[in-house]
Amino acid sequence: MALLAPVGLFLLAFFAYPMAKILALSFSSEASGLSLENYVWFFETSVNIKVLLRTFTTAMIVTLVCVLVGYPYAYLMTVVGTRWRALLLILALIPFWTSLMTRNLAWLALLQPSSTIATITRKLGFGELQLLGTVAGVVVAMSQILLPFMVLPMYATLRNIDRRLLAAAEGLGARPSVAFVRVYLPLSAPGVVAGSLLVFVLSLGFYLTPAIIGSPQNSLLSQLIVTQVSRVLNWGHAGAMAMVLLLVTVVLIWLASLATRRNAALTSSGERS
Amino acid sequence: MDSRLHMGIRSGVALELEALHKRYGDYVAVESVDLRADPGEFLTLLGPSGSGKTTTLNMIAGFVTPSSGRIQLDGGKIDHLPPHKRNIGMVFQHYALFPHMTAFENVAFPLKQRKCGGAEIRTRVLEALELVGLGDRAHSYPRQLSGGQQQRVALARAIVFRPSLLLMDEPLGALDRQLREHMQMEIKRIHVELGITFVYVTHDQEEALTMSDRVAIFNNGRIEQVGTASDVYDRPRTLFAAEFLGESNSLSVARTCQPGIAVVAGLDVPVRLPEDTQMPAGDGATVVIRPERLRAMPAGLERSPGTNALRGVVQRVVYLGSARRVDVEVSPWIHLSVREQSGMWSPVQKGDAVDIGWHPGDSVLLEQRTAPAIVTGAA
Ligand SMILES: Nc1ncnc2c1ncn2[C@@H]1O[C@H](COP(=O)(O)OP(=O)(O)OP(=O)(O)O)[C@@H](O)[C@H]1O
Ligand SMILES: [Mg+2]
């Protein structure tokens, strides 16, 4: 217990206290003490709702892109030899070792109308692909940056799936594709949920990428919060926005954990001799 | 017993393996295996670890592609069929139950693949679970079942779609002795009840002898001998078969002077063989006798004419519960073990001089040299 004290103190000082402070701010107003004023403002301002929805859609699309790219990637890692697996793992981890700023600036360069990518897509007849300053561009960059958070938990789950179960399913009359859908896919669900949750929650609060790649017209909630804090200097509004974001996130995590608990409990200790 | 299960079940098929080979690079896992299982037969593949039993079974099921050779069911080639089209039931050593499905869903899986209707699936799954004695655990997940129960679910899943051939790869390997013996009886009962062809893999010789109609003994990817339990036990054709199937005594033979007589190397004692014994053409032969066929008696007592006898000294007496083993040194290079059932112990003790006798019909002559160390020692 004594060993936990420093950790407790640390959390208290740098997590609980700021949290409480923001919570207090969100319920305060300039005129009177305690009020719901900030929340009323939030839900009455149509721009806020619009941005909130855009934030959710963006996060969902980013999550979907990460699942679609991350699943085959993680799957590949489980079937290749040890050398290739190490290589794939390193490739997946590289983004962790480069600073977020560097990666965002790299995407900024890549998405310029004069960049090689733009030139190639133009030549291929895709026309003028407008990515910089759009939600699409933000999604592309965020997906790349968040991909490791999808791949790693997924790989951890897929790696533990007993591939002999697939052979068993085929022996029982299932075509290989059916065996995959009926046996492998359900067993991989906990990894998909864990990765999706991470990516989704991180996307909701992402600031740097939308700020650099996106545009003020297409801003996300985190940008709006920063605007309230640094330009408008309305801490109450910013607090209310942060609380809404936090609440939604917590509810989502709770729902997801409910959904996976049964599944994870069943597969984690399954027969695997 | 559930008589409904008989209805609609085809009886077993004939399985035929012809010159089956499997190579992994330079390594030969299975080498020219020729084997036939008759319809409804219980055939056991018995052999030590790494002898190619699983590889053979996997080639029959279609999980492993043979390097060469043929596999036929009822005279029809199945080599080209993928596993899901072979309609062969298989029970794996590791059960391979789907952890995210209940026992019911596991057993229903093969029926769903065959597009059976919901009502039919229900009755057939419950019947199969009933047959293995798990009717009341239909809604348990595999992790909630004991090893023996999981094994039964795997068995139910492998027979529910009425395959005409059932493959079992060491299905009882993970169970304790009591449960094992119980499951052996259950499996035999199900075999009789369904009447389908069983190919059963084990490395437990006792299990093989008690359960099978015939046993195929595997060694280093080859079949050493195929035959009924008493064929392979009482009339082994190779030293390996003799030694793998329980204990055996081997005496290396110096020469064979006349039909039916062999001279033991290093002793110059003649030993009578069964009358119909084919005398070896080349040199090098071994006489093999099972320990329970030997009788020990105090030296010098008169023995019945026509029996074989060797004199030695009791080195050790080992108590085995239902029997005891008397180890006798005949010469520094020749040691014999005598097995005496409890209640039939001879009055010999450690250190006694004894005569070991046996009936000529109980010796088996093999055209193979026994372990080289003894041969050179005796020379
Ligand atoms: N995929 C493979 N690649 C290379 N060698 C293999 C492969 N599968 C099996 N072998 C080799 O083939 C030999 C026979 O293996 P097999 O699994 O058939 O043995 P087994 O008789 O079932 O043994 P056990 O009783 O231990 O299960 C072994 O030496 C094994 O190492
Ligand atoms: Mg095996």
Side-chain angles (χ1 to χ4, degrees):
Chain A
M1 283 314 279
L3 285 176
L4 284 179
V7 182
L9 275 178
F10 182 86
L11 285 179
L12 207 64
F14 295 100
F15 185 73
Y17 172 71
M19 252 355 213
K21 189 80 184 163
I22 291 174
L23 186 66
L25 276 172
S26 74
F27 284 108
S28 68
S29 75
E30 280 160 37
S32 57
L34 210 60
S35 90
L36 283 174
E37 194 176 287
N38 294 317
Y39 290 91
V40 173
W41 165 81
F42 181 86
F43 287 106
E44 275 185 347
T45 314
S46 67
V47 173
N48 287 341
I49 304 302
K50 210 169 134 194
V51 171
L52 185 65
L53 286 180
R54 184 190 296 140
T55 307
F56 272 94
T57 351
T58 310
M60 259 186 289
I61 296 173
V62 169
T63 310
L64 193 69
V65 170
C66 281
V67 169
L68 292 180
V69 177
Y71 198 98
Y73 193 96
Y75 183 83
L76 196 65
M77 281 174 71
T78 65
V79 291
V80 295
T82 40
R83 277 175 173 222
W84 279 101
R85 181 173 317 141
L87 185 70
L88 287 173
L89 193 63
I90 289 171
L91 281 178
L93 284 175
I94 282 179
F96 277 147
W97 299 332
T98 35
S99 95
L100 195 56
M101 203 58 181
T102 318
R103 279 182 288 158
N104 278 309
L105 291 176
W107 273 111
L108 187 62
L110 279 175
L111 298 178
Q112 291 297 330
S114 58
S115 74
T116 324
I117 293 185
T119 317
I120 292 172
T121 52
R122 214 170 15 242
K123 288 259 166 68
L124 285 175
F126 285 106
E128 209 60 55
L129 212 56
Q130 182 58 40
L131 287 174
L132 210 58
T134 64
V135 175
V138 172
V139 166
V140 169
M142 273 171 73
S143 302
Q144 188 271 333
I145 289 167
L146 291 173
L147 193 60
F149 294 97
M150 181 65 79
V151 167
L152 294 182
M154 256 185 188
Y155 172 63
T157 303
L158 298 194
R159 179 182 63 170
N160 283 323
I161 297 180
D162 187 352
R163 296 191 63 84
R164 294 177 301 186
L165 293 177
L166 287 173
E170 285 174 42
L172 293 167
R175 269 180 290 126
S177 58
V178 175
F180 185 84
V181 172
R182 294 284 317 274
V183 175
Y184 198 89
L185 224 46
L187 291 176
S188 66
V192 177
V193 172
S196 301
L197 206 60
L198 262 179
V199 170
F200 188 77
V201 167
L202 287 172
S203 310
L204 282 182
F206 234 55
Y207 171 69
L208 219 45
T209 308
I212 293 178
I213 311 281
S215 62
Q217 294 87 340
N218 289 319
S219 64
L220 303 183
L221 201 60
S222 54
Q223 288 162 278
L224 232 53
I225 295 176
V226 172
T227 311
Q228 285 297 328
V229 171
S230 59
R231 301 245 179 82
V232 188
L233 297 179
N234 190 329
W235 286 78
H237 285 175
M241 288 167 140
M243 280 333 251
V244 170
L245 196 56
L246 180 69
L247 193 68
V248 171
T249 310
V250 167
V251 168
L252 274 172
I253 293 180
W254 178 66
L255 283 178
S257 76
L258 273 191
T260 47
R261 187 169 304 151
R262 195 186 81 114
N263 206 342
L266 286 174
T267 49
S268 62
S269 58
E271 226 293 308
R272 199 164 286 139
S273 67
Chain B
M1 234 185 240
D2 197 335
S3 58
R4 281 173 301 168
L5 261 157
H6 296 282
M7 303 192 320
I9 296 178
R10 287 179 295 154
S11 55
V13 283
L15 166 73
E16 207 160 351
L17 309 181
E18 258 178 71
L20 211 53
H21 275 77
K22 180 63 194 180
R23 280 178 290 274
Y24 290 109
D26 284 341
Y27 184 81
V28 183
V30 170
E31 196 172 0
S32 38
V33 162
D34 291 293
L35 194 58
R36 195 190 141 78
D38 292 321
E41 189 179 24
F42 196 120
L43 176 71
T44 296
L45 315 186
L46 172 70
S49 193
S51 58
K53 309 180 297 287
T54 299
T55 308
T56 305
L57 218 56
N58 281 338
M59 285 192 279
I60 302 172
F63 300 131
V64 168
T65 315
S67 306
S68 66
R70 282 204 299 181
I71 304 171
Q72 295 187 318
L73 281 189
D74 268 348
K77 275 190 62 148
I78 57 164
D79 306 64
H80 58 288
L81 292 177
H84 68 275
K85 292 199 176 139
R86 295 198 180 190
N87 208 38
I88 294 175
M90 177 137 177
V91 179
F92 297 86
Q93 179 168 12
H94 50 96
Y95 311 150
L97 293 179
F98 306 128
H100 58 300
M101 299 185 195
T102 60
F104 185 96
E105 289 164 339
N106 264 285
V107 180
F109 187 88
L111 297 179
K112 286 204 177 124
Q113 304 315 313
R114 287 164 178 79
K115 309 272 179 282
C116 295
E120 190 192 352
I121 289 183
R122 218 187 130 64
T123 35
R124 280 172 66 175
V125 168
L126 292 179
E127 264 175 39
L129 284 173
E130 211 65 62
L131 185 73
V132 297
L134 274 183
D136 53 335
R137 301 306 300 269
H139 298 292
S140 305
Y141 283 92
R143 66 176 181 106
Q144 299 167 325
L145 298 171
S146 73
Q149 290 169 331
Q150 291 184 28
Q151 207 280 330
R152 288 149 188 261
V153 176
L155 184 57
R157 190 177 67 174
I159 57 178
V160 73
F161 59 97
R162 297 165 186 169
S164 39
L165 174 63
L166 181 64
L167 311 176
M168 305 177 92
D169 190 0
E170 299 196 33
L172 308 181
L175 306 184
D176 65 51
R177 193 184 164 85
Q178 229 173 350
L179 195 53
R180 243 177 121 91
E181 284 173 0
H182 178 67
M183 284 305 297
Q184 287 173 3
M185 286 181 350
E186 292 283 289
I187 290 174
K188 274 307 282 181
R189 175 177 66 84
I190 289 167
H191 174 242
V192 171
E193 225 163 290
L194 299 184
I196 62 181
T197 312
F198 274 40
V199 178
Y200 189 94
V201 165
T202 181
H203 58 235
D204 181 329
Q205 45 103 2
E206 211 173 300
E207 191 167 296
L209 294 178
T210 54
M211 296 180 77
S212 334
D213 293 324
R214 284 191 309 146
V215 180
I217 299 173
F218 272 66
N219 183 28
N220 280 329
R222 290 175 158 278
I223 293 184
E224 295 260 337
Q225 187 174 355
V226 189
T228 63
S230 70
D231 269 346
V232 292
Y233 187 79
D234 294 327
R235 286 176 293 282
R237 280 217 307 269
T238 65
L239 265 180
F240 178 84
E243 278 159 12
F244 192 71
L245 279 175
E247 289 173 65
S248 67
N249 293 297
S250 9
L251 297 169
S252 69
V253 170
R255 61 201 144 86
T256 46
C257 36
Q258 46 179 293
I261 304 254
V263 178
V264 178
L267 283 184
D268 237 22
V269 176
V271 166
R272 286 173 201 272
L273 303 171
E275 275 159 20
D276 55 353
T277 302
Q278 296 282 317
M279 299 313 281
D283 58 10
T286 306
V287 173
V288 176
I289 321 120
R290 294 282 175 204
E292 65 272 18
R293 302 284 180 162
L294 297 180
R295 296 279 168 268
M297 50 203 143
L301 289 185
E302 200 169 330
R303 60 188 165 96
S304 39
T307 57
N308 291 314
L310 292 175
R311 181 159 297 183
V313 174
V314 177
Q315 275 194 315
R316 195 174 351 161
V317 177
V318 182
Y319 180 68
L320 301 170
S322 64
R324 71 169 189 173
R325 198 181 75 217
V326 181
D327 291 340
V328 177
E329 182 181 290
V330 176
S331 84
W333 315 284
I334 301 178
H335 297 259
L336 296 178
S337 293
V338 182
R339 189 184 168 93
E340 298 177 331
Q341 286 303 311
S342 110
M344 306 185 54
W345 291 1
S346 58
V348 301
Q349 296 299 329
K350 184 175 173 184
D352 288 357
V354 289
D355 276 335
I356 294 176
W358 72 96
H359 191 270
D362 291 335
S363 24
V364 178
L365 185 78
L366 299 174
E367 288 185 52
Q368 265 177 308
R369 272 182 211 278
T370 183
I374 296 174
V375 174
T376 42

